[in-house]
Amino acid sequence: MALGPNYKVKPRRRREGKTNYYKRYVYVLSRAIRLVVRLTNEYVIVSVMKFDPKGDITIASAHSIELVKKYGWKGDTNNTPAAYLTGFLAGLRAKKAGIESAVADIGLFTPTKGARVFYAIKGALDAGLKVPMGDIELDENRTKGVHISEYAKKLEAENPEKFNKLFSRYLSRGLNPKDLPSHFEEVLNKIKNSGE
């Protein structure tokens, strides 16, 4: 550990790994409206924020638990299809609030190919919000949960016991994971028709 008169303790939120102050500084200087995507162990949270000297102001927000409570989503609340749907819902709400464009803010998340944060951003894009995302290509099948469905089919044929254990939450909610793509389309249509 460094000692002496030149040693500086980093800010608490930086030490805890919660805030990258350089990125934050750039966002504040740009005064851009941000599409903030945060992933937790259980949920996806997508918010549209604008800077204010007293603290950020949330213009529109969506939480993946809303998919369960309002739209009858029976899948997991933190998987790829849930990230897309949450981003789509946040994008619709931002458009309704008069926001046309935003910059993506993924926080301390390391951008990797096929990451869920990009599917949440894609959802907002498909809702009509303009978000610069570069040339990142996302798999349409992963958006709908086809990869989960195919894995469930394979697992059920090879190891039914593991299938029941691994997909117990889906089955307890009354959804066979093999039907996830059609369930995704059903929930997406409910969100589109809700007038959010």
Side-chain angles (χ1 to χ4, degrees):
M1 186 169 160
L3 299 169
N6 293 332
Y7 178 67
K8 271 183 149 180
V9 177
K10 286 189 167 131
R12 178 184 56 83
R13 288 185 61 85
R14 184 68 190 124
R15 291 193 315 264
E16 291 172 354
K18 290 180 179 175
T19 303
N20 179 335
Y21 282 98
Y22 177 73
K23 270 188 183 178
R24 175 80 185 145
Y25 173 72
V26 171
Y27 285 134
V28 168
L29 284 183
S30 71
R31 301 225 174 229
I33 291 175
R34 304 179 341 261
L35 179 75
V36 181
V37 180
R38 297 294 180 262
L39 304 173
T40 70
N41 289 341
E42 281 192 56
Y43 302 111
V44 178
I45 304 152
V46 181
S47 307
V48 177
M49 318 273 273
K50 75 174 181 181
F51 172 75
D52 186 84
K54 294 178 183 175
D56 288 353
I57 296 169
T58 305
I59 300 165
S61 179
H63 195 289
S64 59
I65 197 68
E66 291 178 75
L67 301 175
V68 176
K69 292 182 176 178
K70 289 184 179 178
Y71 303 103
W73 176 249
K74 294 177 183 172
D76 283 339
T77 51
N78 69 342
N79 61 12
T80 305
Y84 177 87
L85 291 170
T86 308
F88 190 83
L89 188 58
L92 286 179
R93 289 176 179 169
K95 287 288 287 178
K96 198 172 181 183
I99 304 300
E100 293 297 320
S101 63
V103 242
D105 176 357
I106 60 172
L108 295 174
F109 190 84
T110 305
T112 52
K113 187 180 178 184
R116 288 174 295 161
V117 289
F118 295 122
Y119 284 93
I121 295 167
K122 176 81 164 81
L125 275 167
D126 289 351
L129 197 65
K130 293 183 185 108
V131 184
M133 203 166 90
D135 57 352
I136 296 170
E137 289 182 26
L138 300 175
D139 185 0
E140 195 68 35
N141 287 335
R142 286 188 76 82
T143 304
K144 296 175 182 175
V146 173
H147 63 296
I148 298 168
S149 173
E150 286 174 357
Y151 178 64
K153 284 175 192 168
K154 181 180 176 228
L155 198 61
E156 189 177 36
E158 292 173 5
N159 190 343
E161 190 179 310
K162 189 175 180 184
F163 168 82
N164 289 329
K165 186 178 179 185
L166 202 61
F167 291 105
S168 62
R169 290 171 73 181
Y170 284 80
L171 297 169
S172 68
R173 295 182 200 121
L175 174 68
N176 189 323
K178 294 183 287 185
D179 303 330
L180 187 63
S182 59
H183 181 61
F184 169 85
E185 292 291 348
E186 182 187 313
V187 173
L188 183 60
N189 288 332
K190 279 184 189 174
I191 292 171
K192 285 177 181 175
N193 298 330
S194 67
E196 284 280 351

